[in-house]
Amino acid sequence: MLKVENLSAGYGDIIAVRDLSFSLERGQVLAFLGANGAGKSSTLMCLMGLVEQKSGTIKMDGRDITATKVEARISSGLAIVPEGRRIFPDLSVHENLIVGGHVVSAKIMTDGIDYVYTVYPRLAERRNQAAGSLSGGEQQMLAMGRALISQPQLLIVDELSLGLMPKVVDECYAVLQTLKQNNIGVLLVEQNTERALSVADKIRVLEAGNLTWSGSATDAKNNNSLRQSLMGIS
Amino acid sequence: GTIKIGFNVPLTGFAAADGLSAKTGAELAVEQINGAGGVKGDMLELVIYDDQASPKEAVPIAQKLIEKDEVVAGVSGSYSGSTRAAAGIFQEAGVPYISAYAIHPDITRAGNFVFRTSFVGEVQGRAGAKLIGESLGLKRVAIITLKNDFGQALAAGFKEAASSFGIEILSEYEYSIKDRQFGPIVSKVRADKPDVIYASGYFFTAGPLVSQLRAGGIDVPIIGQEGYDSQKFIEIAGAASEGTIITTSLDRDSSVAETQDFIKAFEAKSGQKADMVAASAHTAIKVLAEALQSSGASDRAAIRNAIAQTNLTASTGQISFNKLGEVQKSVQVQIVKDGQWHHHSVIDDAELLSPPSE
Amino acid sequence: MAYEITLLTTMAISVLFALSLNFITGFCGQISLGHAAFMGVGAYTAATMMKASISLLFVIPVAAVFAGVLGLLVGFASLRVRHDFLAITTMGVVFLFVGVVRQQEFLGGEIGISGIQQSVLGRTGFMLLCVVLAGVFAGFSLLVKRSWLGFVFDSIADNEDVSQVLGIDVAKYKLFAFVVGTATAGTAGALYAQHYRFVGPDSFGFVESISVLAMVVVGGIGSVWGVMFAAAVLSVLPLLIQFVDDYKILVYSALLFSMMRFSPDGLAGIVQRLLNRVRNR
Amino acid sequence: MLYLELLFQGIVQGSIYALIALGLTLVYGLLRILHVAHAALFTLGGYIGVIVTNQTGSLALAILAAMIVVGLVGVAMYKLAYEPLLSKPPFIALIASIALFIAAEELFRIIFGPYGLSYENPPLQGGFEIISGFFLKYGEALVIILSILILSVLGWVSGYTRLGVSWRATVTDPDMARAFGVNTQHVRYLNFFIGSALAAVAGVLVALLNNLVEPTMGSVPSYKALAIIVLGGLGSIRGTLLASMILGVIESFGTIYIGHLLDRDALAFGFLIVVLMFRPQGLLGTR
Amino acid sequence: MKPVLEVKNVTVRFGGVTAVDDASLTMQGGDLIGFVGPNGAGKTTLMRVITGIVRPHEGSVWLEGKDLTKLATNQRIRAGLALAQQIVQPLRKMSLLENVALACGFSKTANPFKALKSFDKSAEKATARELLRRVGLQDVVDAEPSKLPLGYLKRLEVARALALKPKLLLLDEPLAGLNQSEASSLADLIKTLNQDGLSILLIEHNLREVLRICPQVYVQDLGKSLAFGNSNEIMNQPEVIKAYLGES
Ligand SMILES: Nc1ncnc2c1ncn2[C@@H]1O[C@H](COP(=O)(O)OP(=O)(O)OP(=O)(O)O)[C@@H](O)[C@H]1O
Ligand SMILES: Nc1ncnc2c1ncn2[C@@H]1O[C@H](COP(=O)(O)OP(=O)(O)OP(=O)(O)O)[C@@H](O)[C@H]1O
Ligand SMILES: [Mg+2]
Ligand SMILES: [Mg+2]
């Protein structure tokens, strides 16, 4: 459903990713791996329309959304869990979720919020607390929840397990599995390589803005040199 | 040739309205003099600088007028702060300087080169006391004072003379020049139940003040001063302005030819009604021109001496100076009738109105 | 020539005043919208003393001390409030200063103090004194910028909390900046009183505070040379553009606006860009 | 009785402050700009109000015209003056804003003359007696009614509707708000439009109460409104409302009972400083 | 010998939430302790109590026998603490090198007068360069922080903390945001620092690395101290598994 061709993106004169192509089907998870500064976040933010796209095309269900605005991309079913959470600190937990449902009907939004509260009961407990005073991990749950409200077709997740305790990481991956079963596509950036390999169908490895390896998760697991470079000593 | 006269006046900032009147009045005087052949055949030229009514601007302007433009004399069409700061510079340089309508007593105290063609604030305040206590026979007064040098000088003079006219001051309120909303003062004054209100201000503060006093159900007489003296006051206060009485320098119903000529010429030139500020600036230029005429425009000390000898009928009346350079003349009392300023009375008490002489 | 001396004196006083604000706002990052109050304290102190025939050279340090003491108090306030809150607090200081001064009979009330005698230095000598004081403080500013003090100021201006975590006693540094900056403003105030030989409550209000901030920002916040240049030019600009007459202030504000809009880093920024361009050739 | 009247006068003044300061709060909340030129929009509102009333005789029409024109001017001001400065340090925009304000005052003077304008037939003159000896002028009643109405609608929208939540999200992190489909550009335009239109209403009303608009009419609100939004706790709508009322009442009593010690401005700022020393984040601000 | 750090019965409340509840912890000189616990357990809050950013409602903090509780943050830093924060806070208008050099110059920045007398920065810059090399940032020393990805800034935090030559280093999730090879090399660095004698308290959810380098762990849950001792033993305790690790 998502098809990206020859994408380059960056900030002013700086090019963060070069000539990147990939595609994703419904119900699939594609994981980007790579070192700090490889351009993973830049790629994701570019798909959302939040980082300048220098060249290339982006197609969603065959429709070219390259030149469209952010709002249009949301409407076509994208949603993001950004790096560093970027929750709205002055808004309450509940209001953060309301923003997550900005483009959908009130009904879908309310259902979405109920769903999130059942998945993350911790958030329900804190619904009226200012989001900025949540602990690091609680904020990550909120970021995840906020992206789910609009019932996206394609979920973009940057650093899912960042700062989460093992138990919650498990829960989040369980959510990803559910999404997969519901035929939703997921683009994932994850530093925890093992975790990423366990859920992903496809793997793309970036280095300094260039695509250096691509293949299926199984291929990746069996590729020793790749494992070596991504996981360090193991 | 031409004779240069320096003229500092607020053309921008909060005093720009008075500045425009003063400038027009002064220009009118110059046109009239030049039209009548100038001073011994030389044409007068005004060198005009905007001082924003600020001392900080006025000092370098005075210096520029004296040192760059080399004017023979200066006239201030500005308020007290800037006039006083400039006066020191003119005095030091030995250049005659006439203040058209600034009221602060220290201005002429800068020295013997400085003159004033209008009343010192205190004198006018005393006149106000006489007007209320004697002419109107009212005794219980509430004072509303504009909190700047103008208002405070008036209040000081008023209070000084009040007891000798049997006036009892019930209360005094102060407001700042930026205020236009007087609700609290109105409420309190109503509760004070005075016989009369003595309120200082400029037309842009007095207009709202008077209209709010009236709208607040207060119907006792309101006495103001020359700051009110503008058609604009009547426009702002509207019907509420009827019956307001002020002390000032300009008598609209005067039988003096100079005054009537000025009023007509000013209205023809500007399309506006004449006001006190314009008349005062007009007078100051006339005084200076007369002195130039009698002394020749070459020697500044001679010009000074000629000014000191002035005895002239101008648009604001009969002008002569005491030894400090203060004008000696009678105070005009005007009242608003049918939307116009009109003659009410004249206060002519040489002793009460005697300006400071040192 | 005499008029040029006046202009030079005006410029030098403005330069000193602007550099004093630059020390607080440009160096230490503490925005102040009420700096004129400190100049006012110095000016009133000096005016009162000079009226009592005390020599200017003795008056100046006393004015500096008085202003510095008030600066210390406001400095303490800066430890409580930050950023825009500090900006408005300092703005409050100037309104409070004007409001209090205008009620004090011994300071001349509404009317201010006039008739201050010329100093023994004469106009030229006084002009030289002003230029020297401005020069000395400019030299000091340049020195601070190069020192570790300047380095610490940069970090406080950048982020106070982080500076704390790096072991920096932010409060001490802020107070230091306030005291130095305000005492210098007090010095400029003493010079002002002598130069204009008049002080009144309206001479040190909000408008003056903004004008001096404009000098700092137009010069390029934190840049000593830029601020000096901007202060020198802006202080006499209204006099120089007298010829545009009725449009004087309009022109002035339009220039100020364009400067912010098109070169927000001030004259220093423009120079920097020009230099870069030359170098890249 | 007198106290009641003074209190009431304070509320009238407070309502005007609130109308002006609210627009400023909206702008500050969204863009962190101390928008001094807001006061120029207030003055412009006054001018339009007087001119339209004098031409057509209808105050309602004048208010409407002032709101629309001033609202659009506000949007233009944002577009031309502020948008390019958003990424710069805040005092850049502050100085730019002050420059704009001064320029506007000069333009008013040059275009409309230094003497100011008045209503030829001032509308809503007179008043009624609520209880004996206690007059309420129609103009003052209108001020209070309009303020309460406008403020409660705004408070409700920002606190309880999705639109309001999106607005506040844009305030804290515009990029992320965009990432969830909020059109931040529209939010900003709307913000400036509403804020400026409120200033215009205040301008018309003040012109009505004073029967005078002058080029320098904005000078008091220009800084006092800043004090109010800071006192209220920058960006807080309820805080702004509270601070406006408190200042209005303090000034009302202060003018009478301590006016000879401190003028209105010094009083207001003295109070501000005292409050900030105890609550550095303002009355209803959060940290 | 006095313990390097003692946290005695600290309680912190935010409104109705008790973030830290009567927590106590003692560290001996040379310890490397992994500080783990569920999200929201109050780890960061306790760390902030130790550095003085948050004031405890009850309890006290001692460094080498000295009571820190009443000292301001900067005084605690000078007493020998250093902190790398969970949410990175670089000085954005300075290069990485300057960020670290400023910290290196802590003896010159003790007060304004001292700072005014010092001009030379070369020694501090050299040290800063070396520290940045140790955390693997040698290639970006002159870069502006705002243009760097999160992982770099995390390491900058660590370098800056080391620049203060602390007796006790507090690290709040330094590994988060690094990929596994990067994380393990930073973890190696932490281990080396500890072997060189530095005491370190490490908050981290990356259990693999914690278990690899930390001999001891301290577990907190719901603001309370839950367990303290040998890493492998603690991690096998059922209540720790239940609160933290989950079933899998
Ligand atoms: N705002 C920005 N301005 C300029 N350059 C930037 C900006 N943000 C990122 N970059 C640059 O873009 C490149 C890619 O950064 P990006 O954040 O996409 O990396 P990443 O793979 O997500 O790294 P990490 O794993 O640390 O999150 C880096 O070299 C970085 O310096
Ligand atoms: N300023 C605050 N106001 C209100 N509650 C707060 C505040 N700061 C923290 N909390 C709450 O205190 C609890 C502890 O937060 P803390 O940040 O210490 O957790 P943590 O153990 O560091 O978690 P994580 O591992 O997710 O970072 C959380 O539930 C959080 O919501
Ligand atoms: Mg990233
Ligand atoms: Mg934490």
Side-chain angles (χ1 to χ4, degrees):
Chain A
M1 73 173 155
L2 178 73
K3 196 164 172 60
V4 173
E5 282 171 346
N6 306 98
L7 178 84
S8 294
Y11 312 82
D13 297 339
I14 302 169
I15 302 286
V17 270
R18 246 169 255 106
D19 225 7
L20 180 66
S21 304
F22 62 89
S23 63
L24 181 74
E25 295 309 319
R26 284 179 195 284
Q28 272 192 341
V29 175
L30 185 153
F32 286 105
L33 303 176
N36 286 152
K40 306 179 296 290
S41 301
S42 305
T43 307
L44 300 192
M45 293 298 264
C46 181
L47 290 181
M48 291 301 293
L50 295 170
V51 159
E52 194 190 337
Q53 184 177 343
K54 306 280 185 190
S55 61
T57 52
I58 306 172
K59 280 186 185 154
M60 184 81 180
D61 293 326
R63 264 191 328 120
D64 191 344
I65 59 168
T66 313
T68 56
K69 288 208 184 128
V70 193
E71 301 93 68
R73 299 188 190 198
I74 316 288
S75 312
S76 67
L78 272 64
I80 189 166
V81 180
E83 182 179 45
R85 298 150 192 156
R86 306 275 297 266
I87 44 107
F88 302 105
D90 295 345
L91 272 55
S92 70
V93 168
H94 194 76
E95 287 168 339
N96 266 276
L97 297 178
I98 292 178
V99 178
H102 183 80
V103 293
V104 297
S105 71
K107 171 87 176 64
I108 297 182
M109 179 187 82
T110 332
D111 292 350
I113 293 179
D114 290 344
Y115 170 70
V116 168
Y117 282 156
T118 43
V119 179
Y120 302 110
R122 189 57 172 264
L123 292 182
E125 281 167 32
R126 310 261 143 147
R127 52 187 298 157
N128 291 323
Q129 185 172 328
S133 65
L134 294 176
S135 85
E138 290 161 354
Q139 291 185 11
Q140 184 72 17
M141 299 176 211
L142 179 58
M144 187 77 183
R146 183 179 59 177
L148 295 177
I149 305 286
S150 61
Q151 300 194 346
Q153 296 306 301
L154 172 61
L155 184 68
I156 300 180
V157 188
D158 200 349
E159 315 244 343
L160 177 62
S161 65
L162 184 90
L164 289 182
M165 64 168 164
K167 198 167 143 185
V168 179
V169 175
D170 291 343
E171 287 163 14
C172 286
Y173 275 91
V175 171
L176 286 194
Q177 289 293 355
T178 324
L179 293 177
K180 265 179 90 161
Q181 279 154 22
N182 293 347
N183 229 5
I184 289 167
V186 177
L187 278 180
L188 182 68
V189 165
E190 179 58 277
Q191 300 290 17
N192 187 334
T193 313
E194 277 161 86
R195 264 307 177 41
L197 292 179
S198 74
V199 67
D201 302 292
K202 295 177 170 178
I203 300 291
R204 297 289 181 275
V205 179
L206 291 178
E207 255 169 55
N210 297 309
L211 186 66
T212 54
W213 193 91
S214 55
S216 71
T218 356
D219 292 347
K221 278 180 213 155
N222 299 331
N223 185 325
N224 269 333
S225 68
L226 190 67
R227 288 179 61 114
Q228 198 75 34
S229 74
L230 288 172
M231 301 194 191
I233 27 125
S234 60
Chain B
T2 57
I3 303 172
K4 284 189 184 171
I5 299 174
F7 191 65
N8 59 303
V9 61
L11 296 175
T12 57
F14 72 95
D18 277 341
L20 183 57
S21 286
K23 176 167 167 268
T24 315
E27 282 172 346
L28 175 62
V30 169
E31 281 164 23
Q32 288 173 337
I33 293 160
N34 287 346
V39 173
K40 294 195 175 139
D42 288 340
M43 294 294 121
L44 293 185
E45 182 194 332
L46 278 183
V47 183
I48 301 175
Y49 291 132
D50 170 22
D51 69 6
Q52 299 176 39
S54 143
K56 203 176 148 192
E57 302 289 322
V59 168
I61 283 174
Q63 258 146 3
K64 191 171 183 190
L65 285 172
I66 296 166
E67 289 157 4
K68 268 244 130 89
D69 299 308
E70 299 182 339
V71 298
V72 299
V75 170
S76 161
S78 191
Y79 287 13
S80 290
S82 47
T83 306
R84 195 156 59 125
I89 312 286
F90 276 94
Q91 174 65 31
E92 211 166 79
V95 179
Y97 189 51
I98 304 178
S99 157
Y101 66 98
I103 50 85
H104 195 271
D106 280 358
I107 293 171
T108 48
R109 289 187 186 129
N112 59 346
F113 276 81
V114 184
F115 299 87
R116 171 183 359 237
T117 55
S118 60
F119 302 109
V120 183
E122 277 82 356
V123 169
Q124 206 181 139
R126 294 202 291 266
K130 177 160 177 157
L131 171 65
I132 289 175
E134 200 172 283
S135 318
L136 302 176
L138 299 169
K139 302 299 177 193
R140 293 160 44 82
V141 186
I143 306 183
I144 303 174
T145 300
L146 168 60
K147 202 189 286 207
N148 72 356
D149 52 355
F150 175 70
Q152 292 199 323
L154 288 164
F158 183 88
K159 284 188 268 189
E160 177 196 322
S163 57
S164 52
F165 296 104
I167 291 173
E168 180 197 352
I169 295 169
L170 298 177
S171 49
E172 181 176 1
Y173 308 100
E174 298 191 325
Y175 70 92
S176 107
I177 191 161
K178 296 172 204 146
D179 290 341
R180 303 288 182 274
Q181 225 101 69
F182 304 99
I185 294 181
V186 171
S187 302
K188 186 67 168 56
V189 167
R190 177 158 10 85
D192 294 341
K193 298 200 174 32
D195 296 338
V196 59
I197 295 166
Y198 184 70
S200 55
Y202 301 113
F203 69 83
F204 46 87
T205 60
L209 174 62
V210 169
S211 87
Q212 288 170 32
L213 283 167
R214 293 291 183 241
I218 297 172
D219 47 15
V220 300
I222 299 171
I223 313 303
Q225 328 70 16
E226 64 180 28
Y228 288 42
D229 190 327
S230 159
Q231 188 63 29
K232 209 47 208 172
F233 165 75
I234 298 170
E235 271 176 43
I236 297 168
S241 67
E242 280 300 295
T244 305
I245 304 175
I246 62 168
T247 53
T248 183
S249 297
L250 177 64
D251 177 9
R252 269 81 172 174
D253 301 326
S254 170
S255 53
V256 178
E258 279 79 2
T259 309
Q260 286 308 330
D261 285 351
F262 163 75
I263 291 175
K264 282 200 203 80
F266 184 87
E267 287 175 9
K269 177 174 162 68
S270 68
Q272 301 260 9
K273 293 259 183 214
D275 55 28
M276 179 283 301
V277 168
S280 297
H282 182 263
T283 300
I285 299 284
K286 282 283 170 98
V287 167
L288 183 56
E290 182 79 7
L292 290 169
Q293 183 77 33
S294 65
S295 68
S298 50
D299 177 21
R300 285 160 172 171
I303 300 174
R304 186 222 89 88
N305 291 337
I307 297 174
Q309 300 305 317
T310 300
N311 193 344
L312 173 77
T313 307
S315 48
T316 57
Q318 183 68 28
I319 309 288
S320 64
F321 297 105
N322 72 5
K323 70 175 199 284
L324 185 61
E326 295 289 358
V327 72
Q328 292 168 310
K329 59 177 181 180
S330 43
V331 169
Q332 302 297 328
V333 181
Q334 302 273 292
I335 181 167
V336 179
K337 257 191 234 146
D338 306 325
Q340 302 286 336
W341 289 110
H342 282 295
H343 179 84
H344 175 274
S345 58
V346 176
I347 296 178
D348 203 356
D349 176 338
E351 199 187 324
L352 182 76
L353 300 185
S354 77
S357 57
E358 55 191 297
Chain C
M1 196 45 213
Y3 181 58
E4 281 69 21
I5 290 180
T6 305
L7 289 188
L8 268 177
T9 316
T10 308
M11 286 176 165
I13 295 175
S14 292
V15 166
L16 184 61
F17 186 36
L19 283 176
S20 74
L21 177 62
N22 189 47
F23 200 82
I24 300 174
T25 303
F27 285 7
C28 195
Q30 306 303 302
I31 188 156
S32 170
L33 297 184
H35 205 52
F38 304 103
M39 183 187 229
V41 171
Y44 266 99
T45 310
T48 323
M49 290 173 74
M50 286 190 286
K51 284 292 260 189
S53 308
I54 298 172
S55 153
L56 177 67
L57 297 179
F58 181 66
V59 163
I60 290 178
V62 178
V65 168
F66 274 45
V69 168
L70 181 68
L72 187 66
L73 288 178
V74 177
F76 276 113
S78 83
L79 304 182
R80 297 278 296 152
V81 291
R82 288 188 187 180
H83 309 300
D84 293 323
F85 286 93
L86 179 63
I88 305 301
T89 305
T90 51
M91 180 171 139
V93 169
V94 79
F95 278 99
L96 210 53
F97 169 78
V98 172
V100 169
V101 163
R102 61 174 14 139
Q103 301 293 350
Q104 306 309 315
E105 281 310 316
F106 75 103
L107 295 178
E110 291 296 338
I111 296 157
I113 300 172
S114 64
I116 295 165
Q117 290 303 309
Q118 184 152 36
S119 77
V120 289
L121 299 172
R123 277 172 72 180
T124 317
F126 179 67
M127 182 268 282
L128 287 176
L129 176 69
C130 295
V131 171
V132 166
L133 284 175
V136 166
F137 192 69
F140 176 71
S141 297
L142 288 170
L143 197 73
V144 166
K145 249 189 119 153
R146 279 187 39 232
S147 74
W148 274 81
L149 181 57
F151 200 12
V152 174
F153 278 159
D154 284 347
S155 94
I156 293 176
D158 200 327
N159 189 328
E160 286 178 28
D161 296 329
V162 174
S163 305
Q164 286 278 4
V165 175
L166 299 184
I168 290 166
D169 190 341
V170 173
K172 258 190 212 144
Y173 281 86
K174 282 210 243 176
L175 290 178
F176 182 82
F178 265 96
V179 169
V180 171
T182 55
T184 308
T187 307
L191 299 178
Y192 178 104
Q194 170 59 229
H195 181 45
Y196 293 105
R197 289 193 253 148
F198 169 88
V199 295
D202 289 331
S203 316
F204 308 103
F206 181 51
V207 176
E208 283 67 28
S209 300
I210 292 301
S211 319
V212 68
L213 184 63
M215 289 173 188
V216 172
V217 176
V218 167
I221 192 129
S223 149
V224 176
W225 292 110
V227 169
M228 287 173 71
F229 184 75
V233 172
L234 288 184
S235 61
V236 296
L237 190 64
L239 295 170
L240 298 181
I241 59 171
Q242 280 281 1
F243 62 91
V244 288
D245 217 35
D246 215 16
Y247 301 99
K248 186 176 65 173
I249 299 185
L250 188 63
V251 169
Y252 176 88
S253 52
L255 281 177
L256 187 59
F257 176 75
S258 319
M259 190 75 203
M260 293 303 99
R261 172 72 174 69
F262 299 106
S263 178
D265 38 6
L267 294 169
I270 295 183
V271 172
Q272 192 66 49
R273 279 194 295 274
L274 285 178
L275 281 180
N276 287 348
R277 197 172 298 171
V278 172
R279 244 179 246 148
N280 292 345
R281 284 258 166 87
Chain D
M1 189 63 215
L2 177 63
Y3 290 156
L4 198 66
E5 268 191 66
L6 290 181
L7 181 69
F8 178 75
Q9 287 299 333
I11 291 174
V12 172
Q13 188 63 50
S15 304
I16 293 172
Y17 284 157
L19 277 179
I20 303 173
L22 206 80
L24 213 56
T25 301
L26 292 180
V27 173
Y28 184 87
L30 194 53
L31 304 170
R32 307 281 139 176
I33 291 174
L34 293 173
H35 171 37
V36 176
H38 188 64
L41 297 172
F42 159 79
T43 311
L44 181 63
Y47 272 107
I48 295 175
V50 170
I51 292 171
V52 174
T53 309
N54 285 348
Q55 295 292 323
T56 65
S58 160
L59 181 67
L61 192 66
I63 293 183
L64 198 68
M67 286 179 80
I68 292 172
V69 175
V70 174
L72 292 176
V73 172
V75 172
M77 204 181 252
Y78 162 69
K79 191 77 195 146
L80 300 177
Y82 293 140
E83 199 172 64
L85 297 180
L86 287 180
S87 58
K88 306 284 184 265
F91 44 79
I92 301 291
L94 174 66
I95 301 274
S97 185
I98 290 171
L100 267 184
F101 175 59
I102 300 173
E105 281 195 341
E106 285 299 296
L107 282 176
F108 293 138
R109 183 180 59 78
I110 291 165
I111 297 171
F112 301 112
Y115 297 103
L117 301 180
S118 300
Y119 290 97
E120 281 155 13
N121 299 305
L124 293 182
Q125 291 302 293
F128 50 93
E129 209 171 4
I130 313 181
I131 27 179
S132 73
F134 189 173
F135 280 97
L136 179 58
K137 282 177 254 167
Y138 292 129
E140 294 173 343
L142 185 66
V143 167
I144 294 182
I145 293 170
L146 273 184
S147 317
I148 293 178
L149 199 76
I150 292 175
L151 295 173
S152 34
V153 168
L154 263 180
W156 178 77
V157 167
S158 89
Y160 299 99
T161 66
R162 287 170 75 181
L163 181 71
V165 173
S166 315
W167 178 80
R168 285 189 290 136
T170 312
V171 166
T172 40
D173 189 344
D175 275 348
M176 266 309 116
R178 277 178 66 204
F180 289 94
V182 179
N183 187 329
T184 53
Q185 196 68 8
H186 288 179
V187 169
R188 285 176 182 167
Y189 288 157
L190 192 66
N191 192 65
F192 262 87
F193 187 88
I194 294 176
S196 308
L198 292 185
V201 175
V204 179
L205 293 177
V206 167
L208 188 68
L209 292 179
N210 301 346
N211 196 23
L212 175 64
V213 279
E214 315 155 81
T216 53
M217 174 166 132
S219 67
V220 172
S222 64
Y223 52 81
K224 188 123 354 127
L226 290 184
I228 287 171
I229 65 170
V230 165
L231 184 58
L234 283 174
S236 155
I237 290 180
R238 279 188 308 152
T240 301
L241 190 59
L242 182 66
S244 302
M245 291 304 164
I246 291 182
L247 268 200
V249 171
I250 285 188
E251 286 188 15
S252 174
F253 282 86
T255 311
I256 301 304
Y257 295 105
I258 43 178
H260 47 285
L261 293 180
L262 281 180
D263 56 27
R264 266 191 191 192
D265 292 347
L267 206 65
F269 279 101
F271 179 70
L272 168 85
I273 292 176
V274 171
V275 171
L276 286 187
M277 288 306 106
F278 291 99
R279 276 191 70 83
Q281 71 277 43
L283 290 171
L284 296 187
T286 48
R287 270 273 180 103
Chain E
M1 212 193 123
K2 295 238 167 65
V4 65
L5 175 74
E6 278 179 286
V7 174
K8 295 183 185 166
N9 307 95
V10 166
T11 298
V12 179
R13 285 179 288 267
F14 298 107
V17 181
T18 305
V20 179
D21 191 357
D22 197 26
S24 299
L25 167 68
T26 304
M27 269 180 90
Q28 302 299 333
D31 275 358
L32 167 53
I33 297 182
F35 182 0
V36 299
N39 292 124
K43 302 182 296 296
T44 300
T45 307
L46 185 62
M47 192 74 107
R48 290 194 171 148
V49 169
I50 297 174
T51 52
I53 297 167
V54 168
R55 300 260 152 182
H57 292 86
E58 280 153 42
S60 57
V61 178
W62 303 71
L63 185 73
E64 291 191 331
K66 186 174 172 215
D67 186 359
L68 296 184
T69 318
K70 294 213 163 55
L71 298 186
T73 301
N74 64 296
Q75 291 166 318
R76 300 186 192 206
I77 301 294
R78 289 188 181 274
L81 281 182
L83 165 74
Q85 308 202 52
Q86 179 174 12
I87 296 167
V88 293
Q89 288 200 324
L91 294 165
R92 297 198 177 272
K93 294 186 199 99
M94 293 184 187
S95 69
L96 298 199
L97 186 66
E98 286 172 322
N99 262 281
V100 182
L102 181 64
C104 290
F106 65 93
S107 65
K108 291 181 174 164
T109 59
N111 66 56
F113 301 99
K114 224 172 177 180
L116 183 55
K117 278 185 256 155
S118 326
F119 292 91
D120 187 30
K121 291 180 194 141
S122 52
E124 285 78 8
K125 285 199 172 159
T127 322
R129 217 173 272 280
E130 168 59 19
L131 286 168
L132 285 167
R133 194 194 55 72
R134 285 190 87 171
V135 296
L137 294 178
Q138 62 277 13
D139 296 335
V140 288
V141 286
D142 292 320
E144 269 178 60
S146 53
K147 293 189 176 150
L148 291 177
L150 183 66
Y152 285 40
L153 300 179
K154 283 272 179 186
R155 288 182 268 170
L156 170 65
E157 282 280 338
V158 176
R160 219 168 47 180
L162 287 176
L164 295 164
K165 297 218 178 68
K167 295 173 187 145
L168 170 62
L169 179 61
L170 305 168
L171 300 171
D172 195 352
E173 299 199 30
L175 307 184
L178 305 188
N179 76 19
Q180 286 179 13
S181 68
E182 291 164 333
S184 70
S185 65
L186 187 56
D188 287 341
L189 173 65
I190 294 170
K191 178 113 193 125
T192 318
L193 289 168
N194 174 248
Q195 281 161 354
D196 294 347
L198 182 60
S199 317
I200 300 174
L201 182 62
L202 169 70
I203 297 184
E204 195 42 74
H205 287 298
N206 186 335
L207 266 193
R208 201 170 75 153
E209 298 299 336
V210 170
L211 294 179
R212 187 167 71 79
I213 65 171
C214 299
Q216 290 173 295
V217 293
Y218 167 77
V219 188
Q220 184 166 304
D221 185 25
L222 298 172
K224 293 193 179 64
S225 312
L226 189 66
F228 179 45
N230 178 286
S231 305
N232 291 318
E233 285 170 20
I234 297 285
M235 281 305 163
N236 286 325
Q237 288 181 6
E239 64 266 34
V240 173
I241 293 175
K242 179 158 173 286
Y244 189 57
L245 296 173
E247 312 311 325
S248 61

